[in-house]
Amino acid sequence: MRKSHLKWLELVVGILMILLGIYSLVSPSGMLTGITVVYGVFAVFTGIVDIAFYVKMERRTGFGPGVALVTGILSLLAGILLLCNIGAGRWAMTLLFPLWFIAHCISRLSHLSLIRMIAGNVSYYFTLVINILGLFLGFMMLLNPYLALISAGWLIGMYLICQGVDSLLLSFAMFDHSL
């Protein structure tokens, strides 16, 4: 995958995360039913981005971050499950959503050295803090999934918006870096 494709994928992921976060803030109580499809599409898309990152790094350096490949495959599988069976997806969302949060945060944390190199220290520390908070939120949802999905709609929405801003910052840094 070319570098220009990765910039655009990161930009689209950022926009989708922000939109998903706004939707979660607007409808925190009805999030579980209506958002299953949206989260499924988003999980598929982020899985593709993580796999593309792995392939790009593998071609460029001779080895890719295995974490990106594993989390990409997990995100892709979770998204396909949600899209293929909406009823089961709503039920499984209480388990899959926290696992996806955790997998995505681990993947982002594994990219920190590259983010620092491309986007600088501000983006590095922003990514670090947001993903540590995301790990905490993911584990909190695993420990008490029902309560977390009802009461944490606002937290999830804010977190997704922050993740979206993080992706936008990284994509803009990649655009600036290529000029």
Short mmCIF file of all heavy atoms in Angstrom, two decimals, residues 13 29 31 42 48 55-56 62 66-67 69 83 88 93 100 114 122 126 135 141 144 156 161 164 174:
data_model
loop_
_atom_site.label_atom_id
_atom_site.label_comp_id
_atom_site.label_asym_id
_atom_site.label_seq_id
_atom_site.Cartn_x
_atom_site.Cartn_y
_atom_site.Cartn_z
N VAL A 13 -10.51 7.28 8.85
CA VAL A 13 -10.71 6.70 10.19
C VAL A 13 -10.98 7.80 11.20
O VAL A 13 -11.88 7.69 12.04
CB VAL A 13 -9.50 5.83 10.61
CG1 VAL A 13 -9.54 5.52 12.10
CG2 VAL A 13 -9.46 4.55 9.81
N SER A 29 -28.26 6.31 25.39
CA SER A 29 -29.08 5.19 25.88
C SER A 29 -29.49 4.24 24.77
O SER A 29 -29.65 3.04 25.00
CB SER A 29 -30.32 5.72 26.61
OG SER A 29 -31.11 6.46 25.71
N MET A 31 -27.74 3.57 22.14
CA MET A 31 -26.52 3.26 21.39
C MET A 31 -26.42 1.79 21.02
O MET A 31 -26.02 1.46 19.90
CB MET A 31 -25.32 3.69 22.24
CG MET A 31 -23.99 3.41 21.63
SD MET A 31 -22.66 4.09 22.62
CE MET A 31 -22.82 3.19 24.13
N PHE A 42 -17.22 0.26 11.13
CA PHE A 42 -16.02 0.93 11.62
C PHE A 42 -14.95 -0.07 12.03
O PHE A 42 -13.76 0.14 11.75
CB PHE A 42 -16.38 1.84 12.80
CG PHE A 42 -15.23 2.67 13.25
CD1 PHE A 42 -14.78 3.71 12.47
CD2 PHE A 42 -14.60 2.39 14.43
CE1 PHE A 42 -13.70 4.47 12.88
CE2 PHE A 42 -13.52 3.14 14.84
CZ PHE A 42 -13.07 4.19 14.06
N ILE A 48 -8.84 -3.08 8.52
CA ILE A 48 -8.15 -2.94 7.24
C ILE A 48 -6.98 -1.97 7.36
O ILE A 48 -5.89 -2.23 6.84
CB ILE A 48 -9.14 -2.51 6.14
CG1 ILE A 48 -10.12 -3.65 5.85
CG2 ILE A 48 -8.41 -2.08 4.87
CD1 ILE A 48 -11.30 -3.25 4.98
N VAL A 55 1.36 -4.40 6.51
CA VAL A 55 1.90 -4.70 5.18
C VAL A 55 2.89 -3.63 4.76
O VAL A 55 3.97 -3.94 4.24
CB VAL A 55 0.75 -4.85 4.15
CG1 VAL A 55 1.28 -4.90 2.73
CG2 VAL A 55 -0.09 -6.08 4.46
N LYS A 56 2.54 -2.37 5.00
CA LYS A 56 3.44 -1.26 4.62
C LYS A 56 4.77 -1.35 5.36
O LYS A 56 5.83 -1.21 4.76
CB LYS A 56 2.76 0.07 4.91
CG LYS A 56 3.62 1.27 4.53
CD LYS A 56 2.85 2.54 4.73
CE LYS A 56 3.66 3.75 4.46
NZ LYS A 56 4.38 3.78 3.24
N GLY A 62 11.12 -4.89 6.24
CA GLY A 62 11.42 -6.32 6.26
C GLY A 62 10.73 -7.05 7.39
O GLY A 62 10.72 -8.27 7.44
N GLY A 66 3.75 -7.25 14.52
CA GLY A 66 2.77 -8.33 14.60
C GLY A 66 1.51 -7.94 15.33
O GLY A 66 0.43 -8.44 15.02
N VAL A 67 1.63 -7.03 16.29
CA VAL A 67 0.46 -6.57 17.05
C VAL A 67 -0.54 -5.91 16.10
O VAL A 67 -1.74 -6.12 16.22
CB VAL A 67 0.89 -5.59 18.18
CG1 VAL A 67 -0.31 -4.95 18.82
CG2 VAL A 67 1.73 -6.31 19.21
N LEU A 69 -0.99 -6.54 12.95
CA LEU A 69 -1.64 -7.58 12.15
C LEU A 69 -2.70 -8.31 12.97
O LEU A 69 -3.84 -8.50 12.52
CB LEU A 69 -0.60 -8.57 11.62
CG LEU A 69 -1.16 -9.72 10.77
CD1 LEU A 69 -1.84 -9.19 9.52
CD2 LEU A 69 -0.04 -10.69 10.41
N LEU A 83 -21.88 -7.24 11.53
CA LEU A 83 -22.65 -6.96 10.32
C LEU A 83 -23.47 -8.15 9.83
O LEU A 83 -24.52 -7.97 9.22
CB LEU A 83 -21.71 -6.48 9.20
CG LEU A 83 -21.05 -5.13 9.45
CD1 LEU A 83 -20.01 -4.86 8.39
CD2 LEU A 83 -22.08 -4.02 9.50
N ALA A 88 -27.47 -10.96 17.17
CA ALA A 88 -26.35 -11.49 17.95
C ALA A 88 -25.32 -10.38 18.19
O ALA A 88 -24.67 -10.36 19.23
CB ALA A 88 -25.70 -12.66 17.24
N MET A 93 -22.16 -7.24 21.51
CA MET A 93 -21.54 -5.92 21.63
C MET A 93 -21.02 -5.67 23.04
O MET A 93 -20.00 -5.02 23.20
CB MET A 93 -22.57 -4.87 21.25
CG MET A 93 -22.01 -3.54 21.02
SD MET A 93 -21.10 -3.57 19.49
CE MET A 93 -21.35 -1.91 19.02
N TRP A 100 -12.59 -4.78 21.33
CA TRP A 100 -12.14 -3.97 20.19
C TRP A 100 -11.44 -2.71 20.70
O TRP A 100 -10.40 -2.33 20.18
CB TRP A 100 -13.33 -3.64 19.29
CG TRP A 100 -12.96 -2.66 18.23
CD1 TRP A 100 -12.19 -2.90 17.13
CD2 TRP A 100 -13.31 -1.28 18.19
NE1 TRP A 100 -12.04 -1.75 16.42
CE2 TRP A 100 -12.73 -0.74 17.03
CE3 TRP A 100 -14.06 -0.47 19.02
CZ2 TRP A 100 -12.89 0.59 16.68
CZ3 TRP A 100 -14.22 0.85 18.67
CH2 TRP A 100 -13.64 1.37 17.52
N LEU A 114 6.67 5.38 15.68
CA LEU A 114 6.43 5.90 14.34
C LEU A 114 5.68 7.22 14.41
O LEU A 114 5.98 8.16 13.67
CB LEU A 114 5.65 4.89 13.50
CG LEU A 114 5.33 5.31 12.07
CD1 LEU A 114 6.62 5.45 11.26
CD2 LEU A 114 4.41 4.30 11.42
N VAL A 122 4.05 16.28 20.47
CA VAL A 122 2.69 16.60 20.91
C VAL A 122 1.74 15.47 20.53
O VAL A 122 0.97 14.97 21.35
CB VAL A 122 2.22 17.94 20.32
CG1 VAL A 122 0.75 18.19 20.62
CG2 VAL A 122 3.07 19.08 20.86
N PHE A 126 -0.22 12.89 23.06
CA PHE A 126 -1.68 12.85 22.95
C PHE A 126 -2.13 11.41 22.69
O PHE A 126 -3.04 10.90 23.34
CB PHE A 126 -2.14 13.78 21.82
CG PHE A 126 -3.64 13.87 21.70
CD1 PHE A 126 -4.37 14.64 22.60
CD2 PHE A 126 -4.32 13.20 20.70
CE1 PHE A 126 -5.75 14.73 22.50
CE2 PHE A 126 -5.70 13.28 20.59
CZ PHE A 126 -6.41 14.05 21.48
N LEU A 135 -7.62 2.02 27.13
CA LEU A 135 -7.41 0.71 27.76
C LEU A 135 -8.19 0.62 29.07
O LEU A 135 -8.84 -0.38 29.35
CB LEU A 135 -5.92 0.47 28.02
CG LEU A 135 -5.07 0.07 26.82
CD1 LEU A 135 -3.60 0.03 27.22
CD2 LEU A 135 -5.52 -1.27 26.26
N MET A 141 -15.34 -1.64 30.88
CA MET A 141 -16.52 -2.20 30.22
C MET A 141 -16.53 -3.73 30.31
O MET A 141 -17.59 -4.34 30.38
CB MET A 141 -16.58 -1.75 28.76
CG MET A 141 -16.94 -0.29 28.61
SD MET A 141 -17.24 0.23 26.91
CE MET A 141 -15.64 0.04 26.18
N ASN A 144 -17.83 -4.71 33.91
CA ASN A 144 -19.25 -4.47 34.14
C ASN A 144 -19.88 -3.99 32.83
O ASN A 144 -20.19 -2.82 32.68
CB ASN A 144 -19.45 -3.44 35.24
CG ASN A 144 -20.87 -3.41 35.74
OD1 ASN A 144 -21.77 -3.96 35.12
ND2 ASN A 144 -21.08 -2.73 36.85
N ILE A 156 -17.64 6.97 26.16
CA ILE A 156 -17.29 6.34 24.90
C ILE A 156 -17.31 7.38 23.78
O ILE A 156 -16.41 7.43 22.95
CB ILE A 156 -18.24 5.16 24.59
CG1 ILE A 156 -18.01 4.04 25.60
CG2 ILE A 156 -18.06 4.65 23.17
CD1 ILE A 156 -19.09 2.97 25.60
N ILE A 161 -14.24 10.63 19.95
CA ILE A 161 -13.91 11.92 19.37
C ILE A 161 -12.41 12.21 19.54
O ILE A 161 -11.74 12.65 18.61
CB ILE A 161 -14.78 13.04 19.98
CG1 ILE A 161 -16.23 12.87 19.50
CG2 ILE A 161 -14.24 14.43 19.61
CD1 ILE A 161 -17.23 13.76 20.21
N GLY A 164 -10.55 10.12 17.15
CA GLY A 164 -10.71 10.69 15.82
C GLY A 164 -9.79 11.88 15.60
O GLY A 164 -9.15 12.01 14.54
N MET A 174 1.18 13.35 8.27
CA MET A 174 1.67 12.57 7.13
C MET A 174 1.56 13.39 5.84
O MET A 174 2.43 13.32 4.98
CB MET A 174 0.90 11.26 6.98
CG MET A 174 1.30 10.22 7.99
SD MET A 174 0.64 8.60 7.60
CE MET A 174 -0.83 8.58 8.60
#
